[in-house]
Amino acid sequence: MSDIDRLRQDFCDELSRIASDTDLKRAHDRFLGRKGGVIATLMKTVATASPDERRTLGQSANAFKTEIEDALAARQAELAAARAPVGAVDVTLPGREIPLGHAHPLTIVRGQIEAIFSRMGYEILEGPEAEDDYHNFQALNMPPEHPARDMQDTLYLGRPIVQSIAPSGPPATLLRTHTSAMQIRYMEAHRPPVRIIALGKVFRRDNLDLTHTPMFSQFEGLVVGEHVTMADLKGTVTAFAREIFSPDTPVQIRPSFFPYTEPSAEVYIGCVFCAGAGCPVCKRTGWLEIMGSGMVHPAVFEAVGYDPERYTGFAFGTGIERVAMLKYKVDDIRLFYENDLRFLEQFPF
Ligand code: DAH
């Protein structure tokens, strides 16, 4: 009899721990299992008891068995009641995440450039990627033999490079080497005042390396009016640099040469990698060149029929990749074109 009391205590402990169907089955097998179950073993013991004990023991054992069966059935009913009906929606489950695509880093930077210049009142343009020699070179004060054509190795679509050796014949078609060609197209079609940004792909005969790809993107700015000065140029590029990089970016203008501007200037910012202290990226100078610029050359105005005595203007241009590389501290331009998600997923919308 004391054995039955001990087993009952055991069962009560087990019953209190039943929280799932698996627990329920384990308890059922342990106590009611036909072979080796607690009750089955108990019944065998009862059978070996002396005849006068057997009757009371048998009654107690049977009562215990019924007790267990009832308790397990009640527990099973509780578990079933707690379960949601088949087909019910569990509104407490977390939603399934839908992976969102996001903009390419160059698209992000291009959008920021457009936004900055839109706020300053600029018109945003694109333009043809296949150009003619006239718009890409000649009208920008680079006649056929001009040595500045060597600054950019050109990919020709029509007549090949011998154009510069034999300037007569049909004009060459080419892939534009810079967005500066859009200065000409816009001024041919519009009278001053002019305030434009032209963005898009440009192409050069360059081999792939850390800083070169045969196709990349640029943006070109052009402002023309009656009293436009170099101070306007400096103020504009400074405002741009401080918006796209950071409000305290140091900006410097240094003399340079471009055939289509006079005077010409290069725009520098304090090195974004070492904050001006000097590092390998800025070659220990503390400064990085971010764009070419200058006052529009009178020969360019003459080519588009603007009076160079009346109008002045400034222009600037640079690579969108270059801006993106400095902004996001990317050290290899090829990353923008390899479509490796481990790279692309690091950029915000
Ligand atoms: N076209 C030049 C380039 O591709 C950039 C440039 C320099 C644009 C000076 C300009 C400028 O408008 O004035 O590297």
Side-chain angles (χ1 to χ4, degrees):
M1 285 303 270
S2 68
D3 277 355
I4 292 180
D5 289 341
R6 197 170 38 76
L7 290 172
R8 180 177 285 113
Q9 188 54 50
D10 235 17
F11 175 72
C12 284
D13 292 347
E14 175 108 22
L15 185 68
S16 67
R17 285 195 299 267
I18 294 176
S20 67
D21 288 351
T22 324
D23 296 341
L24 189 74
K25 170 142 192 345
R26 197 184 310 115
H28 181 275
D29 290 349
R30 183 174 161 216
F31 286 89
L32 301 175
R34 278 179 210 279
K35 280 187 199 135
V38 169
I39 294 299
T41 314
L42 185 64
M43 291 307 182
K44 275 185 200 150
T45 319
V46 171
T48 61
S50 62
D52 45 325
E53 277 180 337
R54 203 180 299 161
R55 195 180 141 81
T56 40
L57 268 182
Q59 279 173 352
S60 297
N62 272 323
F64 181 37
K65 185 184 176 195
T66 314
E67 225 175 276
I68 293 175
E69 285 167 347
D70 291 351
L72 290 182
R75 193 76 195 97
Q76 184 172 28
E78 277 170 29
L79 287 176
R83 246 193 315 267
V86 175
V89 173
D90 182 351
V91 294
T92 66
L93 282 176
R96 241 169 261 149
E97 202 179 324
I98 298 163
L100 285 178
H102 51 90
H104 189 277
L106 292 178
T107 309
I108 296 172
V109 171
R110 179 181 168 148
Q112 291 174 350
I113 294 167
E114 291 181 3
I116 290 168
F117 285 104
S118 293
R119 279 200 297 274
M120 291 200 252
Y122 285 63
E123 190 178 331
I124 310 296
L125 310 172
E126 294 189 319
E129 291 168 10
E131 259 300 357
D132 52 48
D133 188 276
Y134 179 77
H135 290 89
N136 196 78
F137 290 123
Q138 287 193 43
L140 286 163
N141 199 26
M142 285 181 280
E145 316 275 341
H146 200 287
R149 289 188 173 213
D150 292 346
M151 284 164 90
Q152 303 161 358
D153 244 333
T154 309
L155 288 157
Y156 284 89
L157 296 172
R159 296 186 73 229
I161 310 168
V162 287
Q163 169 88 12
S164 59
I165 303 163
S168 57
T173 47
L174 46 82
L175 292 172
R176 65 178 175 190
T177 59
H178 53 184
T179 42
S180 306
M182 278 307 288
Q183 290 187 24
I184 306 302
R185 289 200 175 273
Y186 189 85
M187 288 191 285
E188 280 174 343
H190 301 83
R191 301 301 305 163
V194 173
R195 214 190 284 172
I196 57 155
I197 292 286
L199 307 95
K201 293 187 186 107
V202 300
F203 307 83
R204 294 184 192 176
R205 271 179 52 158
D206 277 324
N207 291 321
L208 278 174
D209 65 25
L210 287 178
T211 52
H212 294 88
T213 46
M215 183 205 82
F216 61 104
S217 23
Q218 283 194 333
F219 69 97
E220 179 85 14
L222 175 69
V223 173
V224 182
E226 287 196 29
H227 304 288
V228 178
T229 70
M230 194 104 188
D232 299 317
L233 164 61
K234 189 174 178 192
T236 303
V237 296
T238 302
F240 167 72
R242 295 195 172 152
E243 278 219 50
I244 197 89
F245 298 113
S246 78
D248 51 1
T249 304
V251 179
Q252 225 182 46
I253 306 286
R254 300 189 194 172
S256 182
F257 172 80
F258 298 99
Y260 31 94
T261 45
E262 180 56 37
S264 301
E266 268 159 1
V267 181
Y268 282 75
I269 56 166
C271 180
V272 294
F273 294 93
C274 62
C279 70
V281 181
C282 62
K283 303 200 178 75
R284 318 240 159 255
T285 62
W287 295 92
L288 294 168
E289 194 222 313
I290 58 155
M291 60 170 78
S293 68
M295 300 305 292
V296 179
H297 198 290
V300 174
F301 282 150
E302 272 160 20
V304 297
Y306 282 13
D307 178 0
E309 296 298 326
R310 182 168 172 203
Y311 297 112
T312 53
F314 65 82
F316 52 89
T318 192
I320 298 177
E321 285 80 355
R322 188 194 310 219
V323 173
M325 286 171 84
L326 297 179
K327 191 173 166 66
Y328 296 128
K329 300 190 171 63
V330 175
D331 59 7
D332 186 342
I333 195 173
R334 293 170 291 196
L335 287 165
F336 291 124
Y337 297 103
E338 283 166 354
N339 286 334
D340 186 332
L341 284 178
R342 288 169 302 179
F343 172 72
L344 297 177
E345 282 175 346
Q346 296 179 46
F347 296 92
F349 282 102

